[in-house]
Every structure is written in structure tokens, then in C-alpha cells.
Amino acid sequence: RQFDRTHYYMKLKILALTYQHSISTFKFYYVCAVAMAAVSCLLLLVSFMSTVDSYTIPSDYNTERNNLINSEKSMRVGGKLVLNTQEQLVNQFIVKEKRQLMDCSRLNRTGYAPAVSFFQSKSWIESTPIFKIIQKMPKGASLHLHDLAIASLDWVIKNATYRDNVYMCTDKNYYIQLSVFKNPPNNPDCPWKSVRSERSSSGNNQEFDLRLKRNISLLTTDPLVTYPTVDIVWDRFNAYFAQVIGILSYAPITRDYYRQALVEFKADNVQYIELRAQLHGLYDLDGTVYDPEYALNLYKNVTEEFVRDNPDFSGAKIIMSSLRLNENSNILNDIKTSMILYTKYPDFFLGFDLVGQEDPNHPLIYYINTLLYPSQQNPPFNLPYFFHAAETKWQGTESDYNLVDALLLNTTRIGHGYGLVKHPLLVEMIKERGVAVEVNPLSNQILGLVSDLRNHAIAPLISQDIPVVISSDDPSTWEALPLTHDMYVAFMDLTGEDADLAILKQLIQNSLNYSVLNQTESTSAFKLWQAAWDKFISDTINTWNLVNGGSQTSQICEVLKPVTTQISGSATSLKYVHIIFVIPMYILLSHAYIFLTTFIFL
Ligand SMILES: [Zn+2]
């Protein structure tokens, strides 16, 4: 029994020692766990501070910085324009959408769809809230357009080619040309066939029409392969005009095509256009070929009739355009015709321009004596010019110096002026004289001057409030809307993330200010525009529920790059993500770690 008692005490002592050892070991593990958690928290805090605290800017510095940024902002187009309370609601929504899209691309290194080839971005652009808003926006005037590329190809295919006496032929480059004949002439290189019979024998009208449209349109899914150089795309562009000039110069179709263009511009919320037209070559089925005055009257009559039917439309005016590959004698004839038309139709006929690819064709200086002809009359005749100038990437060439001649010849506006930014003195001159630059962003991209539209050469001039108007050149050639697509890319690419509704409003007001409307017409046009603008603002507020913070819009980042699932908007949002989620989560995990360590030991 004594042995048993001794044995019992020994067992008790061993248990006590084990317990004592356990306690000290437990303390060791506990201290280790707490120390590790503390070190981890410290490391997290350091990384957190390095992310967020870089935005804590000393207040003096911040004031100076903001002053500099705001001073520069006020120098750009629309920089001094003040938005009213209603406009600010729309503005907040537009800016939020723009910022989200730009930040998404910049911070997540995803593609930026608004700046890539229009051929690839077109349908994506059309799905965005900003596009839908700009589409509804009253956009004032479109001042740079060409007669054969203003109404949609759908109308040409579905309406014009369904008429009597329309013929087609396929040339050696497989381009289909369209024309109208009472009896088609023998044409061995491109034999004419009746479109009606061809369509009928195809057995599928829809398919036939689609193939016809694809053959005429410049739209392609692989622009870099199809149009690798400026010259190749210009060849294709020139081919387009050869394809449609026959059918669109048939006077009854010219009339309806032009009327359809006015319908489409109005539907796209453009209220006034200034159109460059060749005026030569309109014909009728009996073989009559009409003179430029007939063509001008055709445009005038259709315009007046359209304005009568649509009193909220401000009309259209015509600029005669000749090809810059013509000889001086032809150009002189057109100048003389322009002088007659300008005298006879001062409220409808505006002046003269030369068109065609500038680099390989005659520069303005080649025609200088012809172009000086009006001013050398006694008394001098003031024929206004509206020259295309420096639609080129070349610097210091004759095509670039078209800018110099355009200004010396007192051009009213400059078409494209893509090279202007390289000429500081000329930039000063156009600012002083109020010579507006007609910017056609999509045309410049499609015709090879710039691929990423954020690099557009006019962007620096917009930031200096150079007189700029946005237009669309030849929108139907590449199946763009009359003005919305160009206005969209101008806003998303040629202006910055912090450029807002004010810049759009100013660009639109510029389009009316730099038009050639007379004082009465201008007052009336601005009145119409202001009413449409006010309605647009209140409609936009309602449509997008802006009083209650705006409708939820789609996750733009996911559209741009499907694998992207998280939008990290900015350092500010990152800070809140840390505070709300990461730190509490980390504390929770630290405690779980300590608890588990203790549990395993026990
Ligand atoms: Zn043009």
C-alpha cells in the first residue's frame, strides 16, 4: 500500500511537471503567433501607406498644382464655358462614364476601343452610353462634307438600285460600278448588265444586296491587311467614287439622294450642312448633261422644300469643288463659274475648293495665278475659298505648304489642316483671323493619317482653343452616321479625361459660329439649337434617371477585356477597399491563426 502511495505521488509529480512544461511551451507559441501577426500587420501598414499616402499632397503644393491645371483647362475649347445646374447633372454622368472607360483601360492595361480602327470599334462604340447620348445631342452644323458620300449606302442599295434603267458592271479590280442608261453603251472592259435582271437571277435579293453593299463600302474587318498604306486606302477611296458617280449623277437620283442625306442628317440631330459639290455632270435619261447652275438649283430647291417641311432644320449651302488633278484651264473655268454663281446666289452658293489626295496631286501653288484671278479683276472680286490644306503626314512639302497658300488666299476655313500643329506662325494667324479648322477624325484615321486617334494632330490645338469644328467628310463611304461617330471619337480621343460636356457644347456652338450663315440665319439657327439643346438636357436627365444618381451602366472593362473582372478605379477607391475589406479580414485571419496554433498544441 505504501508502494502504491509512493507510485501515485510520482505520477502526480510527472503530470504537474508536464503541465508546467506545457504552459511554458504554450506561451512560447502564443508569443510567436502574436509577434508574427504584428510583423505582418506592420508590413501591410507600410505597403498600404506607400499606396495611399503618395496622394496626400502638401496643401501649398496642392493649391499651386490645381491653379496650374485649372489655368490650362481654361485655355482649351470650351474652357470658359459655364454649365447650368441641369447641364451639370448630364455632365457628371458623362464624365463618370468617360473616366471609368479611360481609367479601366489605363490602369488595367486593356485595349481602349474608342481609339482603335473604326472598322473594328464601330459596333462596340455604338453600345456605349456616351455614344447614345451624343447621338441624341443637337450637334449644330456639319461643315465639311462631299456630295457623293452623304446618304447611307443602305439607301443607295435598297432604293436607288431598285429603280428602272439602273445598270452595273464589274471592273478589272472586281469593283462594281453603277450607272443609269436608257440603252447601255458597249463597254468591253466592264460590260453593263441590268441590276434588276442580275438581282432577279441571283434568286436571293437579300444576299445580292448585301454583296453589292460589301463591294461598295470601305468597311472591312481587317483594315491593317486591307489598307496597309495611305496610298492603298486612297486608291480604294477613289474607287468608291468611281463606283457611285454614275448612279448618283443621274439627276432624279441626285435629287432623292440629297434629300435622303438631309433626312439622315436631321435624324442624327444635325440642323445645318455646308456641302462641297462638283456640280458638273448631272444627266438625264434623254442624254442631257446639265451645267453647274442646274445642279446648284437642284440642291437649292430640295433644300428649300426640306426646310419648308422641317422648320426646325436650318438648311444647307453649297461650295463648288474641283479636282486638284485638273489642269489650270479647267480650274479657271470653275473659278469663273463660281464667281457667276456667287453673284447670282449669294445666300446659297458659298465659294470654291479643290479636292483630292494632296500628296501626289497639284498643290495650291500650282494653281496660284488661277486662284488669284478673282482678286485681280477690276474691281477685285471677293470669291471665298474653303481650301483643303495639309491633309498629310508630310512636313515641309508642297502638300504641307498648302496651308501657307490657303491663308495667303484668305481661306474662310481650312479643311483638315492635319499638319497645322507644326506651323506655330500659321496657328497664330488662324487664331487671329478666326479661320476655323474643319476636323474629320474618322476620315483621318481611315485614310491613314493616324491609327490611334489619341495621337490625332489636332488634339494639341483643341487644348489651345484654336477655332475647331468637327465634321465627317464622307461618312457613308465607311458606313458612319452623319456626325455622331465623329463627334464621339473627337470627345473620347481628341480631348482629355477631364474634358467634359462644356467642350462638346463649345464644339457644337463653333459649328454654327464658323458656318457661313448670315446674321439673320445665324440668330434663327442658334434659337432653334438652344431649344433643341434644352430639350436634350431634360430628356437625358429623364432617360438616364440622373436626378437619382444615374442608371446603372454595363461593366465597360468586361466588354473591353472579358478576363477583367475587377475595376480598380483609382487610388481613392483602393483606399476604401483596404479600409472596408482587407484590414478587418487580416485581423480576423490573424486571430484564427493564433486560435488554431493554440488548439493544435492543446
Ligand atoms: Zn474633304
Side-chain angles (χ1 to χ4, degrees), residues 76 89 114 141 156 173 238 317 323 340 355 368 435 443 496 498:
R76 69 186 174 205
L89 272 179
V156 174
N173 295 317
N238 289 332
K317 299 194 183 201
L323 293 173
I340 294 166
V355 300
I368 192 62
V435 175
S443 167
D498 57 358

Side-chain angles (χ1 to χ4, degrees), residues 144-146 276 353 355 388 391 415-416 438 440 443 473-474:
H144 186 116
L145 298 164
H146 296 276
R276 283 150 166 102
D353 184 19
V355 300
H388 281 68
E391 185 186 4
H416 298 290
E438 302 159 348
N440 308 281
S443 167
D473 211 5
D474 303 276

Side-chain angles (χ1 to χ4, degrees), residues 134 139 470 483-491 504 507-508:
I134 291 178
K139 289 178 278 294
I470 304 298
L483 189 55
T484 297
H485 286 106
D486 279 276
M487 196 59 98
Y488 174 85
V489 295
F491 182 59
L504 281 168
L507 285 168
I508 290 167

Side-chain angles (χ1 to χ4, degrees), residues 292-327:
E293 186 169 359
Y294 177 92
L296 187 72
N297 272 303
L298 180 149
Y299 286 119
K300 189 168 179 289
N301 293 339
V302 173
T303 306
E304 286 169 359
E305 186 190 303
F306 188 80
V307 171
R308 245 194 331 271
D309 295 344
N310 300 275
D312 54 345
F313 191 77
S314 302
K317 299 194 183 201
I318 301 291
I319 297 161
M320 186 175 196
S321 59
S322 299
L323 293 173
R324 60 186 344 131
L325 44 84
N326 286 340
E327 283 310 314

